[in-house]
Structures are given as C-alpha cells and as structure tokens.
Amino acid sequence: MVLKRVGIAVLLTAALSAPLAAQQDSQSMIAAIKAEGLRSTEATNVFHTLTDVIGPRLTGSPAHVEAARWAMERLKAWGLDKARLEPFPFGPGWSLEKLTVEMTAPRYMPLIGYAEAWSPATSGVLTGEPVYIGDSTAADIDRLGPRLRGAIVLMHRPQTEFLRSDRPEPSEGTGPVQTGSPPLPGPSSATPTFSMLSRLRALGAGVALSPGAMEHGTVRVQGSPNTPRDAVPTMILAAEHYNMLVRMAQAGASPRLRIEVGTRFYENDLNSYNVLAEIPGTDPRLRDEVVLIGAHLDSWHTATGATDNADGATAVMEAMRILMVVHARPRRTIRVALWGGEEEGLLGASAYVNQHLRDAAPRSKIAVYLNDDPGTGPTYGFYMQNNEPAKRIFDAWLAPLRDIGARRNVIEGIGATDHLAFDQAGIPAFTVIKDFRNYDTRTRHTNADLADAVSPEDLRQAAVFMAVMAWQAAMREEPIPRRTR
Ligand SMILES: [Zn+2]
C-alpha cells in the first residue's frame, strides 16, 4: 500500500512536471541551436571546400573520395562518434582531364560544350567539317560509311524545345502541390540515339555531338558509368552553338571544328563510399534508435555541384557540428550520412539499406530519415510522403522555426532522391522543401551549378532547420508514425 501511494505521488509529479521540463529544455536547446548556427561561418567554410577547393564530386572520381575523406575528418574533428567511410560496389571512376571545342572556320569561335561523364577520350585532336545526321535514317548513316571514320558528327536536329520554367514552388500557398522535376525535352533525330551511337561506333566516328535543352549557354550534362570503353566519345553542346553549326552546315557555310577530349578512368578501386558519423543517444530505452539525417555528397562533373548537392551536404554536416557545440545529449542517436552514387541511381543510400536494414528488427530502429537535396536556398518544411500522422507532428515542429523562414510541410511525396531508399523499406523518410527558382532551368546538373548560386545565409538557415528537426525527432517520447500501406 505504501509503495503504491509513493508510486502514485511520483507518477503525479512526473505527469505535471516532465512535459513542462522537457518543453523548457527543448525551447532552450532550440534557442541555443539558432544562436550557434546563425552566427557561425563554419557552414560557409565547408561549402567553399566542397565546391571551390575540391570541385565536382562525380561518384568514383578521386575528387569524390577526397571529399568523402575530408568530410569524415571534419566530423571526427568536431567530436562525432564512429566517423567512418562505408564502401559499396560502384564501378570504374572517371575524370575529365582536357576539353576544347572550337570553330576554326569560316571564323574563329570557342564553343560551349562538355563531354558526358564516362565518355572515352577522343584519339587526340580531331579537326574537320562536322557531318550532320539528324535527319538521316539508319540506312543513310550506314551508307555514309568511311566518311564517318574519325569524323565529328552532329547527331541530332537543332534543338527547338527548351526547359524554360522551373517547377512550381511547393512552399507557397496552402493547396496541393505538384512535385517532381519538369521533363527535359530530349534531342530529336530521324534515327534513335542508341541506334546512331552503335552505328557510329562500328564505323569509327571520332566524336558525337548533341544539343542541350537549356538556354543561354547553360548545358545539362550527365552520363553513365556503364558506357563501354570503346564507345564513341560524346559531348553536349550549348543548344545555341549546336543549332548554329547545323544551320551553317545546311547552308553550305562549311564550318570547321577542332575538338579534343581527354579523360581518365580509375579501376584500382571499384567501390564508392558513404560517410557516416553520429552523436550517441543517452536514453537507455531509446538510444539504440537512430534519427538519420543525410544528403548526397556526389555531383555531376561540369561545374562544382553547388546546389546539387554541396548545399545539402553542408547543411547536414553543419547541423551535426551545431548539435555538438551546444552539447546536445539526444535521447535517440543522431547519425549523419553523406551518400555517394545518388546521381547514378540512389546507389549509396540503397546500399546502406541493403547492408544494414534488410531485416525488420534493424529497420524498426531507424526512427526517421531526414534528407536535404532537391532545390536550393532556405529550407521551408518537408515533403511528408502522404504520412498524415507524421505531418501533424512535423507541423508542430515548424512553429519555433517560423522566425527563420519555415513555411509549411506538404503532404505530397517527392521522388528522385535518397529518402526513397528508406521510404521503400517502410521507414518514415522525408526530404526538405527548398526553392526551385533557377534550379531546374539553370543549375541542376549543369555547367552553371557553381557556388555563387548559394548564399551563406541560406546555408546557415538550412543547417539550423535540420539540427532542430533532428533534435525534435531524437527527443520525442513516442516513435514517428510509419505510413500504413
Ligand atoms: Zn542531382
């Protein structure tokens, strides 16, 4: 009886004081996170190193490995636990070592163009009048035969459709939003591209040029690690330059080009790497549960991968640094991941799920995954992947972030980034909402994805936002609801 009375008294006291205490603690922690994050210049330093110093971080390239090692060392230096690289199978690496593309007659003009990633090198410097095959049938191309040996080939018709507007801003308004990237108009030709490429390879063409689908000298360039080593070298030209060459060729103006592509392949290590580190949880009951935050560290190769995705990688790294500086003692473990291979198909995040979360028991220990990738600028909220109960919780968590720009969470999901690997494994997994202004039309996967597109204030805001959300998720008594499917 005595025991019972004491029990009731303790329970009553706990019921009255614990939520208040937790709330106060949470308020002061959020204030501390903001104070540290909004004044520190560390985010700018991280971002500058990733973009300007290390440069583009194509998965498999030495620069990506350098970035991963550098990030791991930073996380270690900030005092995080278990900072490590986790390998996953990828394939050969590639880097661009040299590229010139010039018109030398009837007048001189340097052109804007880039080799696709994993394109073979040209065999030295190629010069000559380009051969236009955009309107040629497969039989026409075969008939050209020896004329194509070593030739510079214009594969497609002039580009007339362009990606001219960014997707709608999901953070604006209150209604439903359409998520996902606007389609990129493909290049057009009489013969399908894959069929042209196999013929050009058989006929020994020197290099194959295609137009981009963006304007104003902006070129979106990707590539595939599965490109055969004896494939025809391929290059994407700024649409305006490409179109000019086709018009000149068709008008009999006989443009002459000089092109050289130098590349290097890396086959010593066919792995790529994810970077991981953590702040251990302190609650004996919850510390084996993990709040995972992450962003992909890799990028495409023609600029420095600033908006895609050095800003996201910076935000999650800086969020962890801030949590360390404010001496956060989260109930759950907070782990950070910097994925590799996102651009080639969410490979790093998928490898992590396969390596660690194949079984239901470890899957149930990932409380939530928070991802920072598409868009740029400040963070406004999260795409909630049709998880209404989780959205209600996240909505409440936005309140103390209103003063730094939080707008809303949207119920809709988004695809094409790393949270999908976790979402598909049944783990609550959400990506931040950011701005798309000049993202789709200008910086995403392009030669314009450079550091100037990102402001230091936005980097700080995004880091604070992520730190606060990770903290909230790590402190919550109950789990984050999983979507019923
Ligand atoms: Zn991307």
Side-chain angles (χ1 to χ4, degrees):
M1 288 307 269
V2 171
L3 263 180
K4 199 174 180 186
R5 260 205 325 270
V6 170
I8 286 165
V10 167
L11 273 177
L12 276 174
T13 315
L16 289 172
S17 65
L20 192 60
Q23 201 188 352
Q24 280 168 347
D25 184 48
S26 151
Q27 276 168 5
S28 64
M29 184 54 76
I30 290 168
I33 289 169
K34 284 178 177 170
E36 170 60 26
L38 297 177
R39 66 140 202 263
S40 169
T41 54
E42 198 55 31
T44 318
N45 296 338
V46 168
F47 181 74
H48 166 69
T49 300
L50 292 178
T51 55
D52 295 338
V53 179
I54 296 175
R57 302 165 303 284
L58 186 72
T59 306
S61 70
H64 178 257
V65 176
E66 184 190 349
R69 290 223 171 92
W70 180 83
M72 178 186 71
E73 292 303 333
R74 290 307 285 199
L75 295 167
K76 208 181 275 178
W78 292 336
L80 275 81
D81 249 35
K82 299 180 185 166
R84 61 198 185 272
L85 297 184
E86 289 193 357
F88 63 91
F90 177 72
W94 179 92
S95 66
L96 187 62
E97 301 293 306
K98 162 89 185 169
L99 190 141
T100 53
V101 48
E102 304 163 307
M103 182 168 76
T104 55
R107 57 188 181 274
Y108 182 81
M109 184 177 179
L111 304 175
I112 301 171
Y114 297 85
E116 291 191 281
W118 289 279
S119 164
T122 55
S123 59
V125 181
L126 306 175
T127 56
E129 209 174 305
V131 182
Y132 172 66
I133 61 168
D135 292 303
S136 305
T137 63
D140 294 338
I141 295 168
D142 292 340
R143 260 196 302 278
L144 283 168
R147 256 201 78 195
L148 290 173
R149 174 153 294 278
I152 298 167
V153 180
L154 301 170
M155 279 201 295
H156 296 99
R157 298 180 176 123
Q159 188 72 21
T160 54
E161 274 189 88
F162 295 95
L163 179 54
R164 287 200 160 114
S165 42
D166 299 297
R167 74 191 88 177
E169 300 295 348
S171 69
E172 292 174 356
T174 51
V177 298
Q178 200 182 336
T179 66
S181 52
L184 190 70
S188 140
S189 52
T191 304
T193 303
F194 74 91
S195 166
M196 281 194 284
L197 283 172
S198 70
R199 290 187 150 73
L200 294 176
R201 176 185 181 183
L203 295 166
V207 65
L209 310 186
S210 302
M214 305 175 84
E215 297 182 285
H216 313 301
T218 301
V219 191
R220 183 184 286 188
V221 189
Q222 303 179 195
S224 167
N226 302 322
T227 305
R229 293 291 282 277
D230 61 347
V232 182
T234 53
M235 191 187 276
I236 313 289
L237 252 56
E240 295 94 334
H241 283 163
Y242 183 93
N243 292 353
M244 177 190 73
L245 293 176
V246 176
R247 287 191 301 266
M248 290 175 77
Q250 288 176 331
S254 303
R256 286 185 67 81
L257 300 181
R258 180 163 59 210
I259 293 180
E260 183 178 11
V261 178
T263 65
R264 188 175 292 186
F265 286 81
Y266 303 87
E267 292 190 314
N268 283 344
D269 181 0
L270 298 178
N271 287 320
S272 182
Y273 298 89
N274 295 325
V275 185
L276 291 131
E278 59 204 56
I279 301 172
T282 56
D283 184 323
R285 200 167 50 79
L286 295 177
R287 67 184 169 209
D288 64 339
E289 292 186 14
V290 175
V291 169
L292 184 61
I293 68 173
H296 71 87
L297 185 63
D298 64 302
S299 76
W300 287 109
H301 59 293
T302 59
T304 60
T307 69
D308 190 11
N309 187 32
D311 59 354
T314 299
V316 298
M317 285 179 71
E318 171 68 356
M320 297 302 271
R321 190 195 66 82
I322 295 168
L323 290 169
M324 290 301 296
V325 169
V326 302
H327 304 292
R329 290 173 50 76
R331 299 178 70 187
R332 294 183 177 83
T333 294
I334 302 178
R335 183 175 297 157
V336 64
L338 298 167
W339 312 114
E342 192 273 350
E343 297 294 4
E344 292 76 22
L346 320 183
L347 302 179
S350 303
Y352 184 88
V353 170
N354 281 331
Q355 285 167 14
H356 300 289
L357 307 175
R358 217 193 275 266
D359 299 326
R363 272 205 301 275
S364 71
K365 294 298 182 190
I366 305 289
V368 70
Y369 171 61
L370 304 177
N371 186 57
D372 191 322
D373 180 15
T376 188
T379 297
Y380 297 118
F382 281 84
Y383 298 93
M384 296 307 302
Q385 305 294 133
N386 301 306
N387 185 333
E388 193 59 67
K391 181 174 181 294
R392 283 195 288 275
I393 295 160
F394 275 53
D395 285 352
W397 291 348
L398 288 195
L401 293 166
R402 296 275 171 207
D403 64 333
I404 61 160
R407 289 183 182 169
R408 66 160 173 161
N409 302 303
V410 303
I411 190 64
E412 288 84 358
I414 186 174
T417 182
D418 292 305
H419 75 281
L420 272 196
F422 295 88
D423 181 75
Q424 283 161 7
I427 293 162
F430 312 107
T431 285
V432 295
I433 301 170
K434 303 176 94 96
D435 275 326
F436 291 105
R437 197 168 353 98
N438 288 336
Y439 183 74
D440 293 315
T441 57
R442 190 61 90 174
T443 62
R444 179 171 178 250
H445 304 180
T446 74
N447 58 333
D449 194 6
L450 295 155
D452 304 77
V454 177
S455 85
E457 297 74 43
D458 292 345
L459 287 174
R460 288 196 283 267
Q461 189 268 8
V464 166
F465 203 109
M466 187 58 92
V468 168
M469 297 300 273
W471 171 254
Q472 301 273 37
M475 297 305 285
R476 181 182 156 78
E477 172 67 24
E478 301 82 15
I480 308 241
R482 301 193 171 221
R483 186 156 39 111
T484 46
R485 26 179 89 222

